[in-house]
Amino acid sequence: MKLLTTVTAIAGALAITAGSAHADNLRWKMPVAFSTNLPGLGSPAAWVADNLTTASSGSIQVRVYEPGKLVPPFDILDSVSDGKVAAGYTWIGYDQGKVPAVPLFAAVPFGMKPWAYIGWYYYGGGEQMLQDVYANKGYNVHAQLCGIVGPETAGWYKNKIESLDDYKGMKIRFAGLGGRVLEKLGASVTMMPGGELYQALEKGTIDATEFSMPAIDQILGFDQVVKYNLFPGWHQQFTAQYMLINKDEWNRATDAQKALVEASCTAATTRGLAEGEYKNGKVLAGFQAEGVHADQIPRPVLEKLKSVTEEVLKEEAAKDADFKKVYESQKDFMETYKVWDQRAYLPADMD
């Protein structure tokens, strides 16, 4: 009887231990908004998934689903929040109609350089503000910064852009707050995933588009359809991507697993920026050799765009308390950062 009791107790203990180990294993499906072959924009998602499996010795396994294979790109937030999938990887600016403040964490016209943004995000309270922004709008997600790239181009156009009047009546794909700016200038702004843009340009569904940096735009083939590429990317000086994780899934993760997710995403943010900075110069030089006109926006036009941008930002801040709080935090940071930025870095024309 004593032997039976002892064996039963050991078996029970082993069952509890096995059950706990099983409960701690995370098996997440993660749809992504961008193809993982896109450098800096989609590639970090695949890198994070592989790195998490390796670093956790299999405790965390993330299966990546290419755009549209499991969840439409623009449905990722709702699918994660509702628990249909455990995680998703996306540019959160797509959800500005649902959560007005999120574009400030995704891309801000005439906003921060990438390294300034992550400075504010990690050390200026941005990370917690983003969690609050989602919670305040009823979304059950944990947001983890998981990728960033530098400036986009200001778009691809069939005809040369010589003034802001050229935007009147133009059918253009333009994302985030920059799209609101062009709407004020009379453009007809639409939103569609990157994979649909080549055909839309080719068929004339849109007259112009922006999407990302040269290393990505080349893969999507925009230079094969239109030949006017505008710079600088005033509307997106940084583009940040996030791993959205269902809050219940995040809460059941161990502290060690959470630390691995945070560390992997922080590393992916660095690697994504590095990949874009490494590839863009060569791609842009190749564009010009193939007859693409890389036009610079004249300074007076940029100043007008900035003026309209300031109107848009103030309007959005007046409509949403979260937007106002984040916007003011970023402005306060930039007041001190610009002192460093203007003095510490060499002028761009001093190679």
Side-chain angles (χ1 to χ4, degrees):
M1 181 61 73
K2 286 183 179 179
L3 179 60
L4 180 60
T5 302
T6 302
V7 171
T8 302
I10 292 172
L14 289 173
I16 291 171
T17 302
S20 297
H22 179 72
D24 287 344
N25 289 334
L26 303 178
R27 302 291 182 262
W28 291 347
K29 293 180 179 180
M30 186 171 77
V32 299
F34 312 107
S35 297
T36 54
N37 71 322
L38 299 181
L41 196 62
S43 58
W47 185 87
V48 164
D50 289 342
N51 192 65
L52 283 173
T53 298
T54 302
S56 70
S57 297
S59 171
I60 306 172
Q61 294 183 22
V62 179
R63 183 176 179 183
V64 172
Y65 290 82
E66 295 292 333
K69 297 299 183 182
L70 185 63
V71 172
F74 296 163
D75 292 347
I76 288 176
L77 171 60
D78 288 330
S79 296
V80 173
S81 181
D82 294 343
K84 294 177 182 176
V85 292
Y89 187 88
T90 187
W91 183 70
I92 60 178
Y94 290 141
D95 296 310
Q96 67 179 358
K98 305 169 186 175
V99 189
V102 291
L104 294 172
F105 298 89
V108 183
F110 294 93
M112 305 178 207
K113 297 179 176 72
W115 46 90
Y117 174 75
I118 61 176
W120 169 82
Y121 181 83
Y122 288 128
Y123 294 100
E127 190 167 18
Q128 184 56 52
M129 285 184 202
L130 181 54
Q131 314 312 319
D132 295 341
V133 161
Y134 278 119
N136 290 345
K137 291 297 186 285
Y139 285 94
N140 188 42
V141 298
H142 169 80
Q144 191 71 48
L145 177 62
C146 210
I148 198 166
V149 295
E152 297 189 348
T153 82
W156 292 82
Y157 303 83
K158 293 182 178 179
N159 300 302
K160 189 173 183 178
I161 301 297
E162 297 181 316
S163 75
L164 294 185
D165 289 340
D166 292 328
Y167 282 108
K168 290 180 181 177
M170 180 183 292
K171 297 178 293 182
I172 185 170
R173 187 271 189 196
F174 222 79
L177 293 167
R180 298 280 172 89
V181 173
L182 293 192
E183 284 177 340
K184 270 186 168 289
L185 296 173
S188 175
V189 177
T190 188
M191 177 54 59
M192 58 182 69
E196 300 176 12
L197 296 177
Y198 181 93
Q199 283 192 332
L201 277 174
E202 192 175 42
K203 293 179 178 180
T205 306
I206 54 176
D207 302 315
T209 187
E210 60 77 43
F211 187 70
S212 192
M213 56 190 182
I216 290 174
D217 290 351
Q218 180 191 46
I219 293 172
L220 298 181
F222 300 152
D223 57 304
Q224 299 171 21
V225 186
V226 293
K227 294 298 182 181
Y228 288 95
N229 193 201
L230 208 58
F231 292 85
W234 57 271
H235 64 300
Q236 289 191 206
Q237 287 289 287
F238 75 90
T239 299
Q241 301 87 251
Y242 293 81
M243 186 175 178
L244 299 180
I245 304 165
N246 178 271
K247 195 67 175 288
D248 298 329
E249 284 290 322
W250 181 251
N251 288 339
R252 82 180 186 91
T254 65
D255 289 344
Q257 288 169 330
K258 290 177 181 177
L260 282 176
V261 172
E262 291 168 355
S264 294
C265 276
T266 302
T269 299
T270 302
R271 293 176 68 96
L273 180 60
E275 188 175 13
E277 293 301 296
Y278 176 75
K279 292 181 176 179
N280 280 325
K282 183 177 180 180
V283 172
L284 183 55
F287 278 159
Q288 295 178 66
E290 293 170 7
V292 171
H293 302 282
D295 291 343
Q296 292 297 123
I297 301 174
R299 178 68 182 245
V301 175
L302 278 175
E303 289 173 351
K304 292 176 183 177
L305 284 167
K306 186 175 182 182
S307 178
V308 177
T309 294
E310 289 170 353
E311 290 177 19
V312 168
L313 293 174
K314 288 176 182 176
E315 289 170 1
E316 294 299 314
K319 292 188 290 187
D320 184 81
D322 286 333
F323 192 105
K324 184 174 187 292
K325 180 179 179 180
V326 177
Y327 175 50
E328 289 180 349
S329 175
Q330 291 182 346
K331 279 204 309 179
D332 290 345
F333 167 69
M334 286 304 293
E335 282 300 311
T336 54
Y337 178 77
K338 69 182 180 183
V339 177
W340 165 252
D341 185 41
Q342 292 169 359
R343 289 182 176 273
Y345 292 99
L346 287 170
D349 58 356
M350 287 192 71
D351 326 24

